[in-house]
Amino acid sequence: MSFAEQLNRLQAFLDADELHDEALDYVAAHGYLTALSICSEVVPDREWIDALFAEEPHYKDEAQRTEIEETLVQLKAHISRQLAADEEFELPCDLDLGEEPDDSDLRGWCIGFMEGVFLREAAWFETAEEEVSEMLLPIMVGSGLFDDQPEFADIASDANLMDDMIVQIPEALTALYLLCNAPDEKPAILKPRHH
């Protein structure tokens, strides 16, 4: 079975209604795996897989469980390679929140990404809190999880500003990846620190 076919089967599995309400669908799972691929601390497969599903899915049999879990691990490796390739990172959805942000795939992707960050929050912010926060901002805005905070509410109420931030997501991901995984190669958008 090709990787594309495996992904189709994974997508059908994750997008089915049978999963727990808090389980991540395919697009959210992609965001989640992207965050895990960027994080400087490696999260054990068993831990992130269990967290992704919120509770054990009802697999048909052991073969299906193995296939789904192995495809998730392969997808994570694929995302890591994409991030390391230093090309524009492609999201599995449009960079657009549309008329109904809560129903958009991009919002789901951003929420999934933030779930991945929350899994190892300390590791994300331990070395360069300010830079990481700055780069995470477009994703945080896209997720809608922080709209109850005044500065996020201000951004959310300005459609042009929202769009400007959303289109920065691929660039922010590359910068985050470099910052967390190749700290000696400072991404261009960071100003040098004066000691």
Side-chain angles (χ1 to χ4, degrees):
M1 191 174 9
S2 73
F3 185 51
E5 288 170 313
Q6 284 176 274
L7 284 184
N8 286 337
R9 289 171 64 153
L10 176 67
Q11 186 163 3
F13 185 83
L14 293 178
D15 290 349
D17 293 335
E18 288 81 77
L19 293 181
H20 187 274
D21 286 347
E22 287 175 22
L24 301 178
D25 66 11
Y26 179 77
V27 170
H30 188 287
Y32 175 75
L33 295 176
T34 304
L36 293 177
S37 300
I38 290 172
C39 184
S40 57
E41 186 179 321
V42 176
V43 180
D45 291 348
R46 185 73 269 147
E47 183 186 342
W48 65 254
I49 289 171
D50 289 346
L52 184 152
F53 286 117
E55 66 175 34
E56 177 83 10
H58 301 295
Y59 294 107
K60 283 200 304 270
D61 51 28
E62 203 50 43
Q64 187 188 33
R65 171 207 290 273
T66 303
E67 181 195 321
I68 294 298
E69 293 189 353
E70 282 179 358
T71 305
L72 280 166
V73 172
Q74 284 178 296
L75 177 57
K76 181 171 176 274
H78 174 74
I79 291 169
S80 293
R81 284 193 299 274
Q82 269 188 300
L83 286 161
D86 207 22
E87 293 161 13
E88 174 101 344
F89 187 77
E90 280 194 32
L91 275 69
C93 55
D94 293 331
L95 276 177
D96 183 11
L97 288 169
E99 296 299 308
E100 293 291 334
D102 286 343
D103 298 333
S104 72
D105 281 346
L106 181 61
R107 169 138 301 169
W109 188 91
C110 291
I111 289 173
F113 188 95
M114 292 311 300
E115 292 288 338
V117 171
F118 298 148
L119 213 52
R120 284 291 184 278
E121 202 163 348
W124 278 83
F125 296 105
E126 68 190 353
T127 46
E129 186 171 352
E130 211 171 298
E131 289 96 326
V132 169
S133 301
E134 204 175 301
M135 292 175 203
L136 279 176
L137 190 62
I139 300 166
M140 292 168 77
V141 167
S143 76
L145 294 172
F146 306 92
D147 286 356
D148 57 347
Q149 296 176 18
E151 61 272 34
F152 284 94
D154 290 346
I155 296 170
S157 64
D158 182 337
N160 291 334
L161 185 54
M162 279 289 278
D163 290 346
D164 287 349
M165 299 214 86
I166 295 304
V167 296
Q168 291 174 24
I169 289 176
E171 210 177 304
L173 293 172
T174 305
L176 279 164
Y177 183 80
L178 286 173
L179 185 70
C180 296
N181 295 280
D184 301 336
E185 295 177 38
K186 284 280 182 257
I189 62 169
L190 293 182
K191 297 157 208 66
R193 282 215 170 133
H194 300 291
H195 294 292

Coordinates of all heavy atoms in Angstrom, one line a residue, residues 3 6 11 17 21 29-30 32 38 40 66 91 94-95 97-98 100-101 106 109 139 150 161 163 165 172-173 181 189:
F3 N 2.0 5.2 0.5 CA 1.9 6.2 1.7 C 0.6 7.0 1.5 O -0.2 7.2 2.4 CB 3.1 7.1 1.8 CG 3.1 8.0 3.0 CD1 2.8 7.5 4.3 CD2 3.3 9.3 2.8 CE1 2.8 8.3 5.4 CE2 3.2 10.2 3.9 CZ 3.0 9.7 5.2
Q6 N -2.3 4.8 2.5 CA -2.3 4.7 4.0 C -2.9 6.0 4.6 O -3.7 5.9 5.5 CB -0.9 4.6 4.5 CG -0.3 3.2 4.3 CD 1.2 3.2 4.8 OE1 2.1 3.5 4.1 NE2 1.4 2.8 6.0
Q11 N -7.1 9.0 7.3 CA -8.0 10.2 7.2 C -9.4 9.7 7.5 O -10.2 10.3 8.3 CB -7.9 10.9 5.9 CG -8.7 12.2 5.9 CD -8.3 13.2 4.8 OE1 -7.4 12.9 4.0 NE2 -8.9 14.3 4.8
D17 N -17.2 9.4 12.7 CA -17.9 9.9 13.9 C -17.7 9.0 15.1 O -18.1 9.4 16.2 CB -19.4 10.0 13.6 CG -19.6 11.2 12.6 OD1 -18.8 12.1 12.5 OD2 -20.6 11.1 11.9
D21 N -15.2 12.4 21.3 CA -15.5 13.8 21.0 C -14.2 14.6 21.0 O -14.0 15.5 20.3 CB -16.5 14.4 22.0 CG -17.9 14.0 21.7 OD1 -18.1 13.4 20.6 OD2 -18.8 14.2 22.6
A29 N -5.0 16.4 13.7 CA -3.9 15.5 14.0 C -2.7 15.9 13.2 O -1.6 15.8 13.7 CB -4.3 14.1 13.6
H30 N -2.8 16.4 12.0 CA -1.7 16.9 11.2 C -1.0 18.1 11.9 O 0.2 18.2 12.1 CB -2.1 17.3 9.8 CG -1.0 17.6 8.9 ND1 -0.3 18.8 9.0 CD2 -0.5 17.0 7.8 CE1 0.7 18.8 8.0 NE2 0.5 17.7 7.3
Y32 N -1.2 18.7 15.1 CA -0.6 18.2 16.4 C 0.7 17.5 16.1 O 1.7 17.8 16.8 CB -1.7 17.1 16.8 CG -1.4 16.3 18.0 CD1 -1.4 16.8 19.3 CD2 -1.1 14.9 17.9 CE1 -1.2 16.0 20.4 CE2 -0.9 14.1 19.0 CZ -0.9 14.6 20.3 OH -0.7 13.8 21.3
I38 N 8.3 19.7 15.7 CA 9.1 20.9 16.0 C 9.6 20.9 17.4 O 10.8 21.3 17.6 CB 8.2 22.2 15.8 CG1 7.9 22.3 14.3 CG2 8.9 23.4 16.3 CD1 6.9 23.4 14.0
S40 N 11.5 20.5 20.8 CA 12.8 20.1 21.0 C 12.9 18.8 21.9 O 13.9 18.1 21.9 CB 13.7 21.2 21.7 OG 13.0 21.6 22.9
T66 N -2.6 -1.6 14.5 CA -1.2 -1.5 14.1 C -1.0 -0.5 12.8 O -0.2 0.3 12.8 CB -0.6 -2.9 13.7 OG1 -0.8 -3.7 14.9 CG2 0.8 -2.8 13.3
L91 N 0.4 23.1 4.5 CA -0.6 22.6 5.4 C -1.6 21.8 4.6 O -1.8 22.0 3.4 CB -1.4 23.7 6.1 CG -0.7 24.3 7.3 CD1 0.6 25.0 7.0 CD2 -1.6 25.2 8.1
D94 N -6.6 24.9 3.4 CA -6.3 26.3 2.9 C -5.9 27.2 4.1 O -6.4 27.0 5.2 CB -7.6 26.8 2.3 CG -8.0 26.1 1.0 OD1 -7.0 25.6 0.4 OD2 -9.2 26.0 0.7
L95 N -5.1 28.2 3.8 CA -4.7 29.2 4.8 C -5.8 30.2 4.9 O -5.6 31.4 4.5 CB -3.4 29.8 4.4 CG -2.1 29.1 4.8 CD1 -0.9 29.8 4.2 CD2 -2.0 28.9 6.3
L97 N -9.6 31.1 7.2 CA -10.6 30.8 8.2 C -12.0 30.8 7.6 O -12.9 30.4 8.3 CB -10.4 31.7 9.4 CG -9.2 31.4 10.3 CD1 -9.0 32.5 11.4 CD2 -9.3 30.0 11.0
G98 N -12.1 31.5 6.5 CA -13.4 31.5 5.8 C -14.5 32.3 6.6 O -14.1 33.1 7.5
E100 N -16.9 31.2 8.4 CA -17.2 30.6 9.8 C -16.0 30.0 10.3 O -15.7 28.8 10.2 CB -18.3 29.5 9.6 CG -19.7 30.0 9.2 CD -20.4 30.8 10.3 OE1 -20.0 30.5 11.5 OE2 -21.2 31.6 10.0
P101 N -15.1 30.8 11.0 CA -13.8 30.3 11.4 C -13.9 29.0 12.3 O -13.1 28.1 12.1 CB -13.3 31.5 12.3 CG -14.0 32.7 11.8 CD -15.3 32.2 11.3
L106 N -8.6 25.1 8.9 CA -7.5 25.8 9.4 C -7.6 25.9 10.9 O -6.6 25.7 11.6 CB -7.3 27.1 8.7 CG -6.0 27.9 9.2 CD1 -4.7 27.1 8.9 CD2 -5.9 29.3 8.6
W109 N -6.7 22.7 12.4 CA -5.3 22.4 12.3 C -4.5 23.2 13.4 O -3.7 22.7 14.1 CB -4.7 22.9 10.9 CG -3.3 22.5 10.7 CD1 -2.8 21.3 10.1 CD2 -2.1 23.2 11.1 NE1 -1.5 21.3 10.2 CE2 -1.0 22.4 10.7 CE3 -1.9 24.4 11.7 CZ2 0.3 22.8 11.0 CZ3 -0.6 24.9 12.0 CH2 0.5 24.1 11.6
I139 N -0.5 31.0 14.8 CA -1.2 29.8 15.1 C -2.1 29.9 16.3 O -3.3 29.4 16.2 CB -0.2 28.6 15.3 CG1 0.8 28.5 14.1 CG2 -0.9 27.3 15.6 CD1 2.0 27.6 14.3
P150 N -7.8 39.9 25.8 CA -8.1 41.1 25.1 C -7.2 41.3 23.8 O -7.8 41.7 22.8 CB -7.7 42.2 26.1 CG -7.8 41.6 27.4 CD -7.6 40.1 27.2
L161 N -6.1 42.1 9.6 CA -5.0 41.7 10.5 C -5.0 40.1 10.7 O -3.9 39.5 10.6 CB -5.1 42.3 11.9 CG -4.0 42.1 12.9 CD1 -2.6 42.6 12.3 CD2 -4.2 43.0 14.1
D163 N -6.1 37.9 8.5 CA -5.5 37.3 7.3 C -4.0 37.5 7.2 O -3.3 36.5 6.8 CB -6.2 38.0 6.0 CG -7.7 37.7 5.9 OD1 -8.1 36.7 6.6 OD2 -8.4 38.3 5.1
M165 N -1.9 37.6 9.6 CA -1.3 36.7 10.5 C -1.4 35.2 10.0 O -0.4 34.5 10.0 CB -2.0 36.7 11.9 CG -1.9 38.1 12.5 SD -1.7 38.1 14.2 CE 0.0 37.9 14.5
A172 N 6.2 30.8 9.9 CA 6.4 30.7 11.3 C 6.9 29.3 11.7 O 7.7 29.1 12.6 CB 5.1 31.1 12.1
L173 N 6.3 28.3 11.0 CA 6.6 26.9 11.3 C 8.1 26.6 11.0 O 8.8 26.0 11.8 CB 5.8 25.9 10.5 CG 4.3 25.9 10.8 CD1 3.5 25.1 9.8 CD2 4.0 25.4 12.2
N181 N 15.3 23.3 16.7 CA 16.1 22.1 16.3 C 17.5 22.5 15.8 O 18.3 21.6 15.7 CB 15.4 21.3 15.3 CG 14.1 20.7 15.9 OD1 14.2 19.7 16.5 ND2 13.0 21.3 15.6
I189 N 14.2 36.1 10.6 CA 13.2 37.1 11.2 C 13.6 37.4 12.6 O 13.0 38.3 13.2 CB 11.8 36.6 11.1 CG1 11.6 35.3 11.9 CG2 11.3 36.4 9.7 CD1 10.1 34.9 12.1

